[in-house]
Amino acid sequence: MPKCSLRSWASGSPFASGRFPHSVSEATWIRRSDDRQTGGAAPAYPVLMSKHPAGLSDAIAVVSRGGEIRERHRGDITAHPGLAGYLRTAARIELSAPLSFVWNAAPDTLPAGPPDTGPQVLRVRISPASRPSGGCYAEVRTLGPDERCGLTGRELQVLTLLACGLTNPGIATRLAVSRRTAATHVERLLGKLGVTSRAGAAAIALDRDLLTLPVQGDGGLDGLPPLSLLRLEAAVRGTVDSPPAPAAPRRRMARLRPLMIGAVYPSAGDWFGDGLLMEQGTRLAMDEINERGGIAGRRIEHIPLRTNIQDTGAIQRAIGRLASEDVDAITTGYTFQRSRDSLAAQFLPAASAGFPLLHHSTSASAADLIAEEPEKFGNVFQVCGRESVYGIGFVRTLTTLRDSGAWRPASNRLQVFDTDDADTTTFTASATEAAERAGWRISVDHISSLSPNWPTVIRKIHDLDPAAVMVAQFSASSLAAFVRGFREEPTGALLYALYSPSVPLFLDQADSSAEGLLWATVSGLYGDHFGHEFGRRFHQRSGITSGMSSAGIRYDMVHLLAAAWAQCDSPHDAKEVNRLLRRTIHRGVNGSYHFGTPDQTNLVYPDQTNDPSIAQAHLVYQIQNGHHHIIAPAPYSTAPFRPPGSTRVQP
């Protein structure tokens, strides 16, 4: 494996330590909430994506064939010297396929350290626009040191020239440096990439889109290969010595309009990192489908937006903005604004447009809204179960462990700390009734969904001394803080959490305190061949770990849409696509999907159906030796349950 390691965003990143700035997807007035930075409440102020501190830059734009740049995030792309000219040229020459490259206008001054210590280096992706008038889409974001394998600006340029086939003397001549200096650059970048050959370095440059513009040095582009990036460079320079393009066919073939997915991802908090996993899952699915020829020759493309998932208005505006861009479907994740009225407002822009909206908000309110207003929200699909299933699964799992003899609880007392938000209740009256029928005595308390008082929670656990404790907390770092605090003053209680440990950040922060923890999700990555292969491909393409839930469900969302599009005479016929989604049964890496119920919400096995072929399993994991193992339900378990006191931490 090369030394170049695209580490997980959650492990050792500035964000994980609280130093990463809040990310806001639109120019709007917000109030800073981090008192550690401001010393208290601060006045509201406008935030522009490309002007964030610490080098964070994230902007998406539509560039017309005439050269007008309209930025969806208002990220002020033109603030990056020279880049606007490349985008306008790309729109003018009508690209036949997307281009991805590194933008680095000042290679000599770019540091190898954190991006906030010097000029930004950017990841730029340009895609042909799906408009009759032509043009292109442009996506720009800051490329961190890990993503560029720690290479300096000069080393990125040297890597580009090396990948173009230049020898050390050729690189030295072009960059006007000595041969010894060129050789030193090459030797250092080989070491950082962890390869021993120039061919290996070139392969990594192409695989990870590290080819860099503008091309530095004297000599024009003469003698360089006919790469698409270099043809763009030549068009910008207006030179006649550009690398020759492959011979064009005599008759120009019409380009099919791409299928466009608009996607909304979390922009701040622990959920920002989870959003990065969601986006990588989306991209992996699109790449795999496009490599197989797309959908009847149509590529699938992607417009990502990041927004505050705690703000109904921000989510509604993001979905509205995507709807205005003539997308064919929208995918969204979870939101903490789950009242019926709030969800109706969020879904309304897509409902008015008619194309499918797929979300994974585990919301009972959303499911009820769809079932009760099918004419208005019949194009909204919940690609997971309801959060109200969690409590039933908790009781079922503990009862099964007790009755099988795998666990011998010290008492029949169970303690539940549910969220204080009535719209995200996880332990319902049905769960209480199931517990009582099974012989359990239940105590239910409610805690803040955003800022729980963990010392108080731990004191209550000590006072009741239950056999097991369920904690409904959907922030990975907050749950990790609870687990660490509980392990400092432990009882014999079995800890049981929901969803949050699926995010890699949780294990990074909880560390050995998480050993033995049980946790559940109604949409988790299966531990079978399909799940393992997905994890391998995800890591191979992105360099990071997929996590146990969100990346897989976004990957499955794209394949659900692709399956429906592939069956349509016209994949742009939204009404037909929605009809086919209701009829589709799809087996993904996170289980099986079927939206044939009135609420168009995925079923949960075994709590809502005994047929696992039309449902996602309510997976229960246990952390054993620092790894997630599925212990229930059958037949999906990958390891037996280990009762408290018998967990073995390997050295």
Side-chain angles (χ1 to χ4, degrees), residues 25 30 37 71 74 173 176 183 245 351 365 413 443 461 499 507 521 530 540 553 562 594 613 637:
S25 65
I30 67 170
Q37 296 182 11
E71 298 181 57
R74 304 181 185 180
T173 299
S365 298
R413 293 187 298 274
S443 174
I461 296 173
Y499 182 76
L507 273 184
T521 178
F530 299 104
Q540 184 181 46
I553 201 168
H594 175 54
S613 70
S637 58

Side-chain angles (χ1 to χ4, degrees), residues 367-406:
D368 292 340
L369 175 67
I370 296 164
E372 294 167 14
E373 299 189 50
E375 294 300 321
K376 188 173 185 178
F377 297 105
N379 63 325
V380 178
F381 300 85
Q382 183 160 304
V383 193
C384 58
R386 302 170 177 232
E387 75 274 294
S388 52
V389 176
Y390 277 126
I392 296 172
F394 170 65
V395 173
R396 172 180 49 77
T397 299
L398 296 190
T399 302
T400 301
L401 291 174
R402 180 197 64 187
D403 294 350
S404 67

Side-chain angles (χ1 to χ4, degrees), residues 445-620:
D445 291 279
H446 293 88
I447 59 175
S448 169
S449 58
L450 298 177
S451 55
N453 187 325
W454 293 129
T456 299
V457 169
I458 293 171
R459 283 197 300 271
K460 288 184 177 181
I461 296 173
H462 278 268
D463 291 342
L464 184 63
D465 193 22
V469 178
M470 185 185 105
V471 180
Q473 171 53 230
F474 296 100
S475 163
S477 61
S478 181
L479 180 67
F482 161 71
V483 173
R484 291 195 307 269
F486 177 80
R487 298 303 187 199
E488 291 176 359
E489 303 178 69
T491 71
L494 182 65
L495 293 185
Y496 189 104
L498 308 179
Y499 182 76
S500 295
S502 70
V503 183
L505 174 65
F506 173 78
L507 273 184
D508 290 337
Q509 295 196 357
D511 200 17
S512 61
S513 298
E515 191 66 22
L517 174 76
L518 298 184
W519 66 274
T521 178
V522 294
S523 180
L525 185 65
Y526 281 21
D528 58 10
H529 171 75
F530 299 104
H532 287 304
E533 277 297 297
F534 166 77
R536 182 189 64 78
R537 295 194 307 274
F538 186 97
H539 184 270
Q540 184 181 46
R541 295 217 178 193
S542 67
I544 60 178
T545 302
S546 68
M548 306 306 294
S549 181
S550 288
I553 201 168
R554 285 300 183 107
Y555 176 88
D556 287 347
M557 279 182 171
V558 176
H559 281 285
L560 276 162
L561 290 167
W565 285 332
Q567 298 177 66
C568 292
D569 291 334
S570 172
H572 302 298
D573 183 347
K575 186 175 181 180
E576 178 66 5
V577 173
N578 291 327
R579 186 184 71 83
L580 288 167
L581 281 171
R582 296 184 196 104
R583 297 176 54 187
T584 297
I585 298 176
H586 174 71
R587 172 57 158 89
V589 299
N590 276 30
S592 296
Y593 300 83
H594 175 54
F595 307 116
T597 54
D599 59 9
Q600 297 183 174
T601 294
N602 214 44
L603 294 170
V604 178
Y605 168 83
D607 302 306
Q608 293 178 310
T609 178
N610 290 323
D611 185 354
S613 70
I614 58 170
Q616 288 174 294
H618 188 162
L619 297 179
V620 180

